Amino acid sequence: MRLTAVIAILSAVLGIGSATQWWESGNYYQIYPRSFRDSDGDGIGDLNGVTEKLQYLKDIGFTATWLSPIFKSPMVDFGYDIADFYQIHPEYGTMEDFERLIAHAKEVGIRIILDFVPNHSSDQSEWFLKSVDGDPVYKDYYIWHDGKINEETGEREPPNNWVSEFRYSAWEWNEVRQQYYLHQFATAQPDLNYRNPAVVAEMKNVLKFWLGKGVAGFRIDAIPYLFEVDLDRYNQYPDEPLSNDPSCPDPDDHCYTQHIYTQDQPETVDMIYQWRELVDEFHQQHGGDPRVLMTEAYTSFENIMKFYGDGIRNGSHIPFNFDFLSNINNASKATEYVEHIEKWMNAMPKGVYANWVLGNHDNKRVASRFGVQRIDLINILLQTLPGHAVTYNGEELGMTDVYISWEDTVDPSACNSDPEHYYERSRDPARTPYQWDASSMAGFTSGDYTWLPVSDEYKTNNALQQLRAPQSHLKIFKTLVRVRQEPSFRTGELKIQALDDDVLVYSRLKQGSDIYVIVLNLGETEKNIDLTKYFNVGAEAEIITSSLQSQYINGDTVKTSSFVAKGNVGTVLVGIN
Ligand code: GLC
Ligand code: MG
Ligand code: CA
């Protein structure tokens, strides 16, 4: 019998609980509600659809799910343009549906985390409409400016050269107010003014409102853009310096300038700490598990580390680690994986946990970025590293990007581009309906329309088929999630090493527990590896799981001195005592 099995029986008998809480080694699942499950046949996913599928998430072994925005929205940026932060978007359901979702999630044992979008509202928000009208309460809720007069032409122009994430000037003229407003994203997403204490207070109310409804925490959107440089320090908002990047020659593109005045202002970190105080206070007052914060920021490593806390104040529990999205790609060598993983592990402040994000609704899918043949290998990596794992819906099935023509593209980021360049900007390919089964529309909807097309692959690649097959990406994923509960994964040490350009090996070990060895062959060629050279592992090991195309079957015994790793295959082994 393996050591952990003995310990598991002993702890069950003695009633010893595990040392870590769910949120300390959480398995998080991102649901894109519009595309997850449509319960009423209108071709658009909804809350009742999510409720229906919570047991499915539980069966896989997820501990929590974060939902992309579900609030009332004109859907210019598919929910990231919020018209009412206190209401459910009608296409997604009602407040009662939301309350049922929370109640059912409690029964099932899945925590619900909501997306908090603090940087901007919709231009249809009552706040914005009142701000346009100069209402004394809302007048300064947004960032307004007269612009400047061009000395040569005598015409009015935006105050400066700031560019929106979605291309073109970040300033939009408003006829009624006769001023420009700032929008770092779409024109329909005016930036809120965080230098106005009333805005800060209002957004804290939003957090309290949803905490009161029973949510387990928030994923906080677009952190770097919260604050702009303080106007009081200058008479005019200053131009941003040019990036002079030859790969970005178009002045309308966001990359044309360096965003020193519109991103990562020092006040941002303090705002995160304030939000952390708020959720901690709520926890103290209401009990239960701690409420968690996850922060979305594509920013410098140094900034992300600050989001954790500064030693005195705490910040985000999970400052998203986007290394596998932004810094590691198809061509990355094993050494680069090691560098990024170790960098994070070594820089983290004491008392916090690492996290790893594989994919999300803003990026191309994992199977499309790394190749379908590597989907299991990458999922193995995610589930066997220390800390939190964050999975975007569909990656557990190895869903791939769906090609969407320029005519059918709906993502504002891509629509602001042109037929030649839109595809690299488009987020639609990763947002298509979840593939539940082989029935028409992949079991996503009972209707004959879906808001984005269903993948052609749904007949052969869907959840039901993968649950029934003897082995599948999903089954491998489930095995990983289960083994992750073992002490060596929960609190064990990580010892990691690149053997050459292709092979990454590491162990997870908690003293007194089983040793797990993970072998990832990123290359195409088969390798024969003497694992005993690197790890204190016995002569034989058992296969916990291995990629779909591997020669191994779960439970196989192998010789550790000559372990055969096929190309693109990842394997998890456990030492046999
Ligand atoms: C975040 C979201 C993205 C959205 C943007 C503006 O990056 O993930 O989908 O478009 O913020 O809210
Ligand atoms: Mg629906
Ligand atoms: Ca802002």
Side-chain angles (χ1 to χ4, degrees):
M1 196 185 302
R2 297 210 314 257
L3 198 56
T4 40
V6 180
I7 293 172
I9 292 168
L10 267 180
S11 4
V13 171
L14 299 173
I16 303 170
S18 135
T20 50
Q21 305 282 333
W22 71 272
W23 54 274
E24 291 172 319
S25 59
N27 228 321
Y28 295 84
Y29 190 72
Q30 179 193 352
I31 291 181
Y32 195 69
R34 203 171 177 80
S35 299
F36 195 54
R37 162 75 185 146
D38 171 26
S39 72
D40 61 359
D42 66 353
I44 294 167
D46 42 52
L47 295 184
N48 288 340
V50 172
T51 307
E52 195 185 303
K53 297 297 184 183
L54 287 174
Q55 188 61 48
Y56 169 77
L57 299 190
K58 185 67 187 179
D59 292 345
I60 297 177
F62 289 107
T63 42
T65 175
W66 75 266
L67 311 180
S68 278
I70 55 170
F71 317 106
K72 195 172 172 202
S73 164
M75 292 288 154
V76 170
D77 192 17
F78 298 102
Y80 285 93
D81 49 321
I82 299 174
D84 190 332
F85 286 81
Y86 300 99
Q87 272 189 55
I88 300 293
H89 180 61
E91 283 173 322
Y92 294 171
T94 62
M95 192 60 86
E96 288 69 43
D97 293 332
F98 179 74
E99 284 159 3
R100 261 197 306 277
L101 165 67
I102 293 285
H104 189 57
K106 283 223 169 79
E107 278 163 28
V108 171
I110 294 273
R111 274 84 181 177
I112 303 291
I113 293 169
L114 293 185
D115 206 334
F116 175 53
V117 186
N119 180 63
H120 42 264
S121 73
S122 158
D123 63 350
Q124 301 306 306
S125 145
E126 205 188 312
W127 304 342
F128 186 71
L129 298 173
K130 287 187 168 164
S131 194
V132 165
D133 286 341
D135 179 301
V137 176
Y138 296 96
K139 185 166 71 57
D140 297 325
Y141 256 47
Y142 297 86
I143 297 165
W144 293 99
H145 198 278
D146 293 336
K148 60 181 182 200
I149 305 296
N150 182 314
E151 279 167 18
E152 278 164 36
T153 64
E155 286 193 17
R156 193 177 292 276
E157 285 177 352
N160 59 32
N161 70 349
W162 294 358
V163 186
S164 140
E165 257 303 328
F166 294 163
R167 301 188 82 232
Y168 304 112
S169 174
W171 297 98
E172 181 75 4
W173 179 251
N174 182 274
E175 274 302 329
V176 178
R177 176 140 165 171
Q178 290 287 303
Q179 276 191 312
Y180 291 94
Y181 65 86
L182 179 75
H183 61 91
Q184 293 223 48
F185 290 88
T187 345
Q189 290 168 302
D191 273 52
L192 286 156
N193 176 12
Y194 274 80
R195 299 194 184 274
N196 178 355
V199 168
V200 172
E202 178 86 57
M203 296 316 274
K204 285 185 178 172
N205 268 336
V206 171
L207 292 174
K208 285 183 210 151
F209 177 82
W210 293 104
L211 285 170
K213 294 263 172 211
V215 306
F218 302 95
R219 173 264 188 191
I220 311 180
D221 183 73
I223 296 281
Y225 308 85
L226 272 183
F227 283 85
E228 292 72 30
V229 73
D230 193 352
L231 182 59
D232 293 345
R233 282 178 51 205
Y234 303 82
N235 294 326
Q236 182 84 16
Y237 284 125
D239 272 349
E240 293 194 316
L242 305 188
S243 46
N244 294 316
D245 173 357
S247 72
C248 189
D250 184 346
D252 290 332
D253 277 335
H254 193 247
C255 51
Y256 193 73
T257 47
Q258 296 176 46
H259 306 287
I260 59 169
Y261 299 126
T262 52
Q263 288 188 28
D264 303 319
Q265 303 302 300
E267 294 87 345
T268 310
V269 179
D270 174 67
M271 202 61 246
I272 296 175
Y273 296 173
Q274 289 189 39
W275 289 330
R276 172 64 183 264
E277 265 161 38
L278 186 150
V279 296
D280 282 353
E281 249 169 50
F282 190 91
H283 174 222
Q284 273 156 24
Q285 287 161 7
H286 300 263
D289 288 323
R291 312 305 193 269
V292 297
L293 294 183
M294 358 178 66
T295 39
E296 185 223 20
Y298 296 86
T299 182
S300 72
F301 183 78
E302 291 66 32
N303 279 335
I304 297 178
M305 288 299 129
K306 281 187 212 154
F307 294 166
Y308 268 126
D310 64 3
I312 298 162
R313 298 168 78 195
N314 290 321
S316 173
H317 297 83
I318 306 180
F320 279 151
N321 173 352
F322 290 137
D323 274 343
F324 296 140
L325 276 167
S326 308
N327 297 319
I328 301 279
N329 58 45
N330 209 12
S332 303
K333 301 203 182 332
T335 43
E336 295 171 61
Y337 282 71
V338 174
E339 277 162 26
H340 282 289
I341 292 166
E342 289 199 321
K343 190 174 173 193
W344 191 285
M345 296 303 298
N346 296 336
M348 278 191 305
K350 278 214 165 60
V352 302
Y353 300 88
N355 79 84
W356 319 92
V357 182
L358 264 196
N360 60 31
H361 65 297
D362 293 329
N363 288 278
K364 299 290 195 275
R365 283 198 173 274
V366 176
S368 297
R369 295 200 324 267
F370 289 91
V372 179
Q373 73 282 11
R374 287 187 183 152
I375 185 73
D376 301 315
L377 181 154
I378 299 288
N379 277 331
I380 288 173
L381 175 67
L382 176 80
Q383 291 292 336
T384 55
L385 288 174
H388 306 277
V390 188
T391 301
Y392 175 55
N393 58 199
E395 310 295 27
E396 73 285 8
L397 303 179
M399 275 175 64
T400 52
D401 286 340
V402 175
Y403 172 78
I404 292 168
S405 69
W406 164 249
E407 288 72 27
D408 292 337
T409 292
V410 294
D411 175 17
S413 161
C415 292
N416 269 354
S417 180
D418 56 65
E420 266 136 75
H421 301 99
Y422 84 98
Y423 202 77
E424 62 208 53
R425 303 189 58 98
S426 183
R427 299 170 298 176
D428 291 339
R431 296 177 174 180
T432 60
Y434 194 87
Q435 292 150 220
W436 290 104
D437 58 41
S439 70
S440 75
M441 299 297 178
F444 165 71
T445 179
S446 58
D448 52 13
Y449 152 90
T450 55
W451 79 282
L452 278 178
V454 171
S455 166
D456 289 342
E457 292 175 1
Y458 78 92
K459 287 212 163 116
T460 49
N461 189 12
N462 61 67
L464 186 63
Q465 171 269 330
Q466 292 203 25
L467 285 172
R468 285 180 178 164
Q471 187 60 307
S472 64
H473 302 311
L474 183 56
K475 283 201 166 159
I476 292 167
F477 197 94
K478 285 176 87 166
T479 306
L480 292 167
V481 173
R482 211 179 50 238
V483 75
R484 206 177 132 79
Q485 297 304 317
E486 297 295 334
S488 286
F489 283 110
R490 288 181 82 108
T491 52
E493 264 181 39
L494 169 75
K495 196 177 149 203
I496 189 163
Q497 185 171 352
L499 301 188
D500 54 26
D501 281 355
D502 294 339
V503 181
L504 185 64
V505 293
Y506 53 98
S507 67
R508 296 298 312 279
L509 174 63
K510 184 183 164 79
Q511 277 307 318
S513 297
D514 290 314
I515 180 167
Y516 289 85
V517 173
I518 292 94
V519 182
L520 308 178
N521 184 355
L522 303 161
E524 300 291 334
T525 31
E526 183 174 300
K527 301 276 166 84
N528 196 308
I529 307 160
D530 181 357
L531 294 171
T532 62
K533 266 167 60 181
Y534 313 103
F535 306 106
N536 193 2
V537 61
E540 290 190 325
E542 184 187 314
I543 303 283
I544 295 290
T545 195
S546 187
S547 298
L548 204 49
Q549 72 272 33
S550 127
Q551 71 278 36
Y552 300 120
I553 294 174
N554 301 0
D556 275 358
T557 301
V558 293
K559 281 208 164 54
T560 47
S561 57
S562 57
F563 177 75
V564 178
K566 282 195 184 173
N568 295 313
V569 164
T571 307
V572 183
L573 303 141
V574 62
I576 299 174
N577 296 295

PDB file of all heavy atoms in Angstrom, residues 52 56 65 275 312 354 358 389 470 487 521 576:
ATOM      1  N   GLU A  52     -27.633  24.500 -13.935  1.00  0.00           N
ATOM      2  CA  GLU A  52     -27.827  23.129 -14.408  1.00  0.00           C
ATOM      3  C   GLU A  52     -26.509  22.346 -14.459  1.00  0.00           C
ATOM      4  O   GLU A  52     -26.497  21.137 -14.286  1.00  0.00           O
ATOM      5  CB  GLU A  52     -28.392  23.264 -15.834  1.00  0.00           C
ATOM      6  CG  GLU A  52     -29.006  22.065 -16.455  1.00  0.00           C
ATOM      7  CD  GLU A  52     -29.383  22.422 -17.908  1.00  0.00           C
ATOM      8  OE1 GLU A  52     -30.151  23.397 -18.128  1.00  0.00           O
ATOM      9  OE2 GLU A  52     -28.880  21.748 -18.816  1.00  0.00           O
ATOM     10  N   TYR A  56     -21.725  19.081 -12.812  1.00  0.00           N
ATOM     11  CA  TYR A  56     -20.683  18.657 -13.753  1.00  0.00           C
ATOM     12  C   TYR A  56     -19.310  19.197 -13.311  1.00  0.00           C
ATOM     13  O   TYR A  56     -18.310  18.477 -13.312  1.00  0.00           O
ATOM     14  CB  TYR A  56     -21.057  19.158 -15.147  1.00  0.00           C
ATOM     15  CG  TYR A  56     -19.993  19.054 -16.208  1.00  0.00           C
ATOM     16  CD1 TYR A  56     -19.693  17.829 -16.814  1.00  0.00           C
ATOM     17  CD2 TYR A  56     -19.303  20.188 -16.647  1.00  0.00           C
ATOM     18  CE1 TYR A  56     -18.716  17.743 -17.807  1.00  0.00           C
ATOM     19  CE2 TYR A  56     -18.330  20.105 -17.642  1.00  0.00           C
ATOM     20  CZ  TYR A  56     -18.044  18.886 -18.209  1.00  0.00           C
ATOM     21  OH  TYR A  56     -17.088  18.805 -19.186  1.00  0.00           O
ATOM     22  N   THR A  65     -15.907  28.645  -9.248  1.00  0.00           N
ATOM     23  CA  THR A  65     -15.955  29.121 -10.624  1.00  0.00           C
ATOM     24  C   THR A  65     -16.098  30.631 -10.626  1.00  0.00           C
ATOM     25  O   THR A  65     -16.787  31.201  -9.784  1.00  0.00           O
ATOM     26  CB  THR A  65     -17.107  28.474 -11.429  1.00  0.00           C
ATOM     27  OG1 THR A  65     -17.166  29.073 -12.727  1.00  0.00           O
ATOM     28  CG2 THR A  65     -18.462  28.638 -10.755  1.00  0.00           C
ATOM     29  N   TRP A 275      -9.831  47.166  -1.381  1.00  0.00           N
ATOM     30  CA  TRP A 275     -10.854  46.159  -1.694  1.00  0.00           C
ATOM     31  C   TRP A 275     -10.627  44.894  -0.867  1.00  0.00           C
ATOM     32  O   TRP A 275     -11.562  44.243  -0.435  1.00  0.00           O
ATOM     33  CB  TRP A 275     -10.877  45.855  -3.197  1.00  0.00           C
ATOM     34  CG  TRP A 275     -11.445  46.998  -3.997  1.00  0.00           C
ATOM     35  CD1 TRP A 275     -12.388  47.902  -3.586  1.00  0.00           C
ATOM     36  CD2 TRP A 275     -11.104  47.374  -5.346  1.00  0.00           C
ATOM     37  NE1 TRP A 275     -12.653  48.803  -4.590  1.00  0.00           N
ATOM     38  CE2 TRP A 275     -11.884  48.506  -5.683  1.00  0.00           C
ATOM     39  CE3 TRP A 275     -10.216  46.863  -6.301  1.00  0.00           C
ATOM     40  CZ2 TRP A 275     -11.809  49.130  -6.937  1.00  0.00           C
ATOM     41  CZ3 TRP A 275     -10.142  47.475  -7.551  1.00  0.00           C
ATOM     42  CH2 TRP A 275     -10.931  48.605  -7.857  1.00  0.00           C
ATOM     43  N   ILE A 312       2.595  44.797   5.015  1.00  0.00           N
ATOM     44  CA  ILE A 312       1.751  45.384   6.067  1.00  0.00           C
ATOM     45  C   ILE A 312       0.288  45.176   5.691  1.00  0.00           C
ATOM     46  O   ILE A 312      -0.506  44.671   6.465  1.00  0.00           O
ATOM     47  CB  ILE A 312       2.060  46.883   6.257  1.00  0.00           C
ATOM     48  CG1 ILE A 312       3.524  47.035   6.695  1.00  0.00           C
ATOM     49  CG2 ILE A 312       1.115  47.515   7.283  1.00  0.00           C
ATOM     50  CD1 ILE A 312       4.087  48.418   6.513  1.00  0.00           C
ATOM     51  N   ALA A 354       1.017  30.544  -5.040  1.00  0.00           N
ATOM     52  CA  ALA A 354       1.239  30.779  -6.462  1.00  0.00           C
ATOM     53  C   ALA A 354      -0.069  30.526  -7.205  1.00  0.00           C
ATOM     54  O   ALA A 354      -1.012  29.962  -6.657  1.00  0.00           O
ATOM     55  CB  ALA A 354       2.320  29.836  -6.983  1.00  0.00           C
ATOM     56  N   LEU A 358      -4.038  29.245 -17.498  1.00  0.00           N
ATOM     57  CA  LEU A 358      -3.720  28.674 -18.808  1.00  0.00           C
ATOM     58  C   LEU A 358      -4.385  29.395 -19.957  1.00  0.00           C
ATOM     59  O   LEU A 358      -3.830  29.514 -21.038  1.00  0.00           O
ATOM     60  CB  LEU A 358      -4.220  27.235 -18.867  1.00  0.00           C
ATOM     61  CG  LEU A 358      -3.252  26.139 -18.561  1.00  0.00           C
ATOM     62  CD1 LEU A 358      -3.816  24.840 -19.056  1.00  0.00           C
ATOM     63  CD2 LEU A 358      -1.897  26.419 -19.204  1.00  0.00           C
ATOM     64  N   ALA A 389      -4.892  26.646  -9.566  1.00  0.00           N
ATOM     65  CA  ALA A 389      -4.954  26.408 -11.009  1.00  0.00           C
ATOM     66  C   ALA A 389      -6.214  27.067 -11.552  1.00  0.00           C
ATOM     67  O   ALA A 389      -7.278  26.959 -10.948  1.00  0.00           O
ATOM     68  CB  ALA A 389      -4.991  24.910 -11.280  1.00  0.00           C
ATOM     69  N   PRO A 470     -12.993   5.321 -22.972  1.00  0.00           N
ATOM     70  CA  PRO A 470     -12.121   4.705 -21.979  1.00  0.00           C
ATOM     71  C   PRO A 470     -11.061   5.692 -21.460  1.00  0.00           C
ATOM     72  O   PRO A 470     -10.737   5.700 -20.278  1.00  0.00           O
ATOM     73  CB  PRO A 470     -11.454   3.551 -22.730  1.00  0.00           C
ATOM     74  CG  PRO A 470     -12.119   3.441 -24.046  1.00  0.00           C
ATOM     75  CD  PRO A 470     -13.012   4.626 -24.263  1.00  0.00           C
ATOM     76  N   PRO A 487      -1.282  15.119  -0.204  1.00  0.00           N
ATOM     77  CA  PRO A 487      -0.458  16.086   0.541  1.00  0.00           C
ATOM     78  C   PRO A 487       0.747  16.597  -0.249  1.00  0.00           C
ATOM     79  O   PRO A 487       1.091  17.779  -0.161  1.00  0.00           O
ATOM     80  CB  PRO A 487      -0.001  15.287   1.765  1.00  0.00           C
ATOM     81  CG  PRO A 487      -0.987  14.184   1.913  1.00  0.00           C
ATOM     82  CD  PRO A 487      -1.534  13.882   0.553  1.00  0.00           C
ATOM     83  N   ASN A 521       7.601  16.100 -22.005  1.00  0.00           N
ATOM     84  CA  ASN A 521       8.459  16.167 -23.185  1.00  0.00           C
ATOM     85  C   ASN A 521       7.815  17.096 -24.208  1.00  0.00           C
ATOM     86  O   ASN A 521       6.898  16.716 -24.926  1.00  0.00           O
ATOM     87  CB  ASN A 521       8.665  14.764 -23.773  1.00  0.00           C
ATOM     88  CG  ASN A 521       9.635  14.776 -24.944  1.00  0.00           C
ATOM     89  OD1 ASN A 521      10.086  15.847 -25.382  1.00  0.00           O
ATOM     90  ND2 ASN A 521       9.957  13.598 -25.458  1.00  0.00           N
ATOM     91  N   ILE A 576       7.098   4.137  -5.921  1.00  0.00           N
ATOM     92  CA  ILE A 576       6.607   2.980  -5.166  1.00  0.00           C
ATOM     93  C   ILE A 576       7.637   2.684  -4.081  1.00  0.00           C
ATOM     94  O   ILE A 576       8.816   2.549  -4.373  1.00  0.00           O
ATOM     95  CB  ILE A 576       6.409   1.751  -6.091  1.00  0.00           C
ATOM     96  CG1 ILE A 576       5.377   2.078  -7.176  1.00  0.00           C
ATOM     97  CG2 ILE A 576       5.983   0.532  -5.279  1.00  0.00           C
ATOM     98  CD1 ILE A 576       5.209   1.006  -8.234  1.00  0.00           C
TER      99      ILE A 576
END
